[in-house]
Amino acid sequence: MENLKKVFHRIRLRGSFHGLCLLVFIVLCFKQQQPNNNKQTSNVLNRLALSSNLNALIIEPTDCSGLNQHEGYDNECDFLQDNPQCLSGGYFYYLEFFYCDCVNYAFFAYIALGIWLVALFYLLGNTSADYFCCCLEKLSNVLSLPPTVAGVTLLPLGNGAPDVFACIASFVGTENADVGLNSISGGAVFIICVVVGTISLYVANQGVTIDKNCFVRDVCTFLFAVVILGVILFVGEVTVGGAIAFVSIYAVYATFVAATEFLRKKDGSFKIDGYEPLLPLADTNENSGVKESDDVPHLVKSKVPHWMWGSNVAMYSDVKCHGTEDCPIKPQWGWIDEETQSENPGCSFSCSKLIKWLEYPLMLTRRLTIPIIDEERWSKGYAVASVTLAPLLLAFLWNSQNEGSELSEDVIYIGGAAIGCVLGVAAYTFTKPDQPPQKFLLPWVLGGFFMSIIWFYMVANELVALLVALGLIFRVNPSILGLTVLAWGNSMGDLMSNFALAMNGADGVQIAISGCYAGPMFNTLIGLGVSMLIGSWSKRPDAYTISRDSGLFCNLGFIVIGLVWALVVLPRNQMQPSKLLGMGLIGIYLAFLCLRIGMAVVAGTLNGSS
């Protein structure tokens, strides 16, 4: 009975969450950017006319720093209506929703924006778990990538996709690079301190030994990347060549790891001198030194278990496991306890049906635009619709990001519709209702891969825009929200998945510890590297200017402290995680958090007094 109540509680919780997200989405749809453009244009023209008059008393501000003071205006709403630059950056008018529509209902606005913040985190993680990681798995199979190559390229991309694309969105979509920089660096401090510290406290005194070669390699590479990033921040600008060089650090690291594993495999041994790969590799060769285990995930002939592709975001997944070879019988992060699901099948069926209807709008838009050729999720109707509507979505994004004449916008929409119709007819003609396509898999997979990235960009861009709006509402620097809210939200998956792996024994601890350093290193080199590359490319031939905020140097400094602490303590304890390591790392993070918040408070006080 207790288990049944627990199941019903989870069902109600999930159903309520999707219902609230849907309600908030409908409310925010009335505050989209487009409807009020005429009103804002009129206000801007009036302001420009007033500004041309020498007797005009109100000076047009260049940014939103004066929103809270709104000098010369009766309230924040009037300030927003005359300053449309404060409302840009997302698809919804969060500030106008808060200050104009909910001026007398602030409590309701706080709840709505809070729910929408959680919903965006969910959409970011769910898109990675149920769409992007599926495409990565298929791409690995189609390209016949060796397991080690997939383990150091596609696998970290699947797990780090939310962080990477949130960072890219902050550099490009909203032009708030500080949010992305603080999110990536703050998330790195959280993972190497809190996650590694928690795992160390859990396995302390259990005699678990971490592979020294693998650990030193990863930590030293990460240290080198942090030092180079510090140099870039100190210079304050980066060129296209500099950004490419920064990204190439991970390319060299991945090549070295792949080459090392290839040579070891060629020698017929996966374990030499106590060395274990980042991920245990399974092979049909009887001489392989690794034994398959039900508790440890394996990469089998370039075929990676679906949950492993999104191990850090599996808690967001809606895909149910049915005991197939690609999916464990018991999901690592499931919503429904299958052991008690059959005790009351009628109620369970009706509750699940209700949940599906509530989450349907959140799923439908992505399902109709992201091609999925997974065997268990194949649907010819969705496949035809996705290839038909995807070009229209791209046309909408292009027009929304590039201002042009109505004629050019219409031409882009017509071109997108024409391409979509051609692809839709081809998909309808050459696919079967009962199985996914067996030919031309690469275009299907690349289409799903690309559209997943598009959805990442849209959701991450909206998430960053919301954080910037919340920073203005709460009078907090948005970079602090990126350091805390965004970093914590994107790192919860790392904490849960790596801790769960550590509970599976010594091999699981090895994978978890390796992931705690390889993951943030990937996010730093690829996430920040690609972001700087896109930013510098858009500013070429000039360099891309990066903020020289002292808080960013503080973040990098604590990353170095956390890495050096582990690099000193672990070898002195014969590579066995201890309470000293765990308590030290957690203490470092608490000191880091107190220092950054104190710096923000002091900076806010000084700005307020000035």
Side-chain angles (χ1 to χ4, degrees):
M1 181 60 67
E2 292 181 359
N3 290 333
L4 189 60
K5 290 181 179 179
K6 184 178 179 181
V7 171
F8 290 157
H9 174 70
R10 291 180 179 179
I11 291 176
R12 288 194 299 268
L13 180 62
R14 186 183 180 188
S16 301
F17 169 71
H18 286 294
L20 289 173
C21 292
L22 177 59
L23 178 62
V24 173
F25 176 75
I26 294 174
V27 171
L28 291 177
C29 279
F30 291 98
K31 301 312 301 175
Q32 287 182 326
Q33 296 274 13
Q34 186 66 25
N36 292 329
N37 279 348
N38 294 332
K39 179 180 178 181
Q40 288 182 357
T41 303
S42 176
N43 289 331
V44 171
L45 292 176
N46 292 334
R47 297 293 302 157
L48 290 175
L50 289 175
S51 299
S52 63
N53 190 341
L54 294 178
N55 295 325
L57 299 178
I58 303 176
I59 300 176
E60 183 76 12
T62 58
D63 55 28
C64 299
S65 58
L67 173 64
N68 295 311
Q69 291 78 21
H70 54 84
E71 295 181 2
Y73 297 89
D74 293 334
N75 49 53
E76 291 88 347
C77 185
D78 292 340
F79 181 93
L80 292 173
Q81 291 176 354
D82 283 353
N83 297 277
Q85 75 274 6
C86 295
L87 303 172
S88 60
Y91 294 101
F92 302 112
Y93 276 166
Y94 298 113
L95 292 175
E96 189 175 273
F97 170 76
F98 183 86
Y99 286 113
C100 299
D101 299 322
C102 299
V103 62
N104 296 322
Y105 307 96
F107 182 73
F108 168 77
Y110 285 126
I111 294 178
L113 294 180
I115 293 174
W116 187 236
L117 179 65
V118 176
L120 289 175
F121 274 117
Y122 169 79
L123 288 174
L124 201 61
N126 181 257
T127 302
S128 179
D130 288 353
Y131 297 90
F132 190 62
C133 294
C134 177
C135 295
L136 289 181
E137 181 180 357
K138 294 297 180 183
L139 185 61
S140 176
N141 295 334
V142 170
L143 298 179
S144 299
L145 294 180
T148 306
V149 175
V152 296
T153 55
L154 299 184
L155 181 57
L157 179 59
N159 287 333
D163 307 84
V164 170
F165 288 101
C167 181
I168 293 175
S170 69
F171 270 75
V172 180
T174 59
E175 297 185 354
N176 287 280
D178 286 352
V179 178
L181 287 168
N182 279 280
S183 172
I184 293 292
S185 57
V189 179
F190 180 86
I191 293 172
I192 66 175
C193 290
V194 176
V195 179
V196 175
T198 303
I199 294 174
S200 299
L201 292 176
Y202 177 79
V203 302
N205 303 323
Q206 293 186 10
V208 177
T209 302
I210 303 300
D211 175 71
K212 186 175 182 178
N213 296 332
C214 179
F215 172 78
V216 173
R217 178 200 66 196
D218 293 343
V219 172
C220 289
T221 305
F222 198 5
L223 275 172
F224 178 73
V226 172
V227 171
I228 297 300
L229 180 59
V231 172
I232 294 176
L233 293 179
F234 179 78
V235 174
E237 59 183 22
V238 61
T239 61
V240 174
I244 294 176
F246 188 71
V247 174
S248 65
I249 296 176
Y250 191 84
V252 173
Y253 165 80
T255 302
F256 175 77
V257 173
T260 302
E261 291 304 319
F262 175 78
L263 294 177
R264 294 182 186 277
K265 181 178 180 180
K266 189 176 181 179
D267 292 339
S269 175
F270 287 92
K271 297 176 72 174
I272 299 179
D273 297 331
Y275 177 85
E276 293 184 7
L278 175 65
L279 294 175
L281 308 177
D283 193 275
T284 53
N285 186 354
E286 294 180 358
N287 295 327
S288 173
V290 176
K291 298 181 180 180
E292 295 190 15
S293 171
D294 294 334
D295 296 330
V296 181
H298 295 84
L299 299 172
V300 184
K301 284 189 174 181
S302 303
K303 197 166 187 179
V304 183
H306 177 78
W307 76 271
M308 192 60 189
W309 283 104
S311 60
N312 294 349
V313 291
M315 55 186 291
Y316 300 103
S317 179
D318 291 331
V319 177
K320 302 300 184 297
C321 296
H322 302 288
T324 61
E325 62 176 354
D326 287 343
C327 191
I329 296 178
K330 186 176 181 180
Q332 184 182 15
W333 305 111
W335 289 92
I336 299 177
D337 191 348
E338 296 183 1
E339 296 177 359
T340 60
Q341 188 175 3
S342 59
E343 293 186 17
N344 195 338
C347 181
S348 178
F349 175 77
S350 60
C351 291
S352 348
K353 195 170 183 180
L354 176 61
I355 292 173
K356 283 187 176 181
W357 278 106
L358 289 174
E359 68 185 1
Y360 198 69
L362 298 178
M363 177 275 296
L364 185 62
T365 50
R366 290 173 295 165
R367 198 74 167 89
L368 288 176
T369 52
I370 303 178
I372 296 294
I373 58 172
D374 184 65
E375 289 78 5
E376 295 184 2
R377 303 166 63 193
W378 168 253
S379 169
K380 182 175 181 178
Y382 278 127
V384 174
S386 62
V387 298
T388 303
L389 297 177
L392 286 175
L393 177 61
L394 295 177
F396 166 77
L397 289 178
W398 178 269
N399 287 333
S400 64
Q401 298 295 328
N402 299 274
E403 296 182 359
S405 63
E406 293 184 3
L407 179 61
S408 61
E409 291 182 357
D410 293 339
V411 170
I412 292 176
Y413 278 122
I414 293 174
I419 296 174
C421 290
V422 172
L423 294 177
V425 171
Y428 182 82
T429 304
F430 296 104
T431 57
K432 299 179 181 179
D434 56 344
Q435 66 177 10
Q438 304 300 315
K439 298 180 179 180
F440 304 105
L441 292 179
L442 187 59
W444 280 98
V445 174
L446 290 179
F449 179 83
F450 180 72
M451 292 309 299
S452 298
I453 291 178
I454 293 297
W455 271 98
F456 271 130
Y457 172 77
M458 292 191 299
V459 176
N461 183 72
E462 201 64 27
L463 179 59
V464 175
L466 176 57
L467 288 177
V468 172
L470 290 176
L472 291 172
I473 292 173
F474 291 106
R475 305 187 183 187
V476 176
N477 192 322
S479 61
I480 297 298
L481 295 180
L483 177 72
T484 54
V485 177
L486 187 57
W488 293 340
N490 287 337
S491 300
M492 281 299 106
D494 297 80
L495 175 61
M496 294 184 177
S497 61
N498 288 328
F499 186 77
L501 286 171
M503 296 174 63
N504 289 329
D507 290 334
V509 175
Q510 175 67 50
I511 300 174
I513 295 293
S514 297
C516 287
Y517 294 104
M521 178 171 58
F522 177 87
N523 296 341
T524 301
L525 290 172
I526 300 301
L528 290 179
V530 172
S531 299
M532 291 188 294
L533 179 59
I534 295 175
S536 58
W537 185 267
S538 65
K539 301 293 184 181
R540 70 184 193 284
D542 298 329
Y544 182 84
T545 303
I546 300 178
S547 172
R548 300 179 63 179
D549 182 14
S550 59
L552 294 174
F553 291 99
C554 179
N555 297 354
L556 299 185
F558 274 92
I559 292 177
V560 172
I561 293 174
L563 293 175
V564 171
W565 176 262
L567 195 59
V568 171
V569 174
L570 259 181
R572 293 189 63 180
N573 199 41
Q574 288 75 45
M575 298 305 298
Q576 296 181 0
S578 61
K579 291 183 178 180
L580 176 62
L581 175 64
M583 294 300 296
L585 290 174
I586 293 177
I588 291 173
Y589 186 78
L590 292 177
F592 159 74
L593 204 59
C594 292
L595 179 60
R596 283 307 315 269
I597 294 176
M599 291 172 62
V601 171
V602 172
T605 303
L606 293 178
N607 293 334
S609 61
S610 62

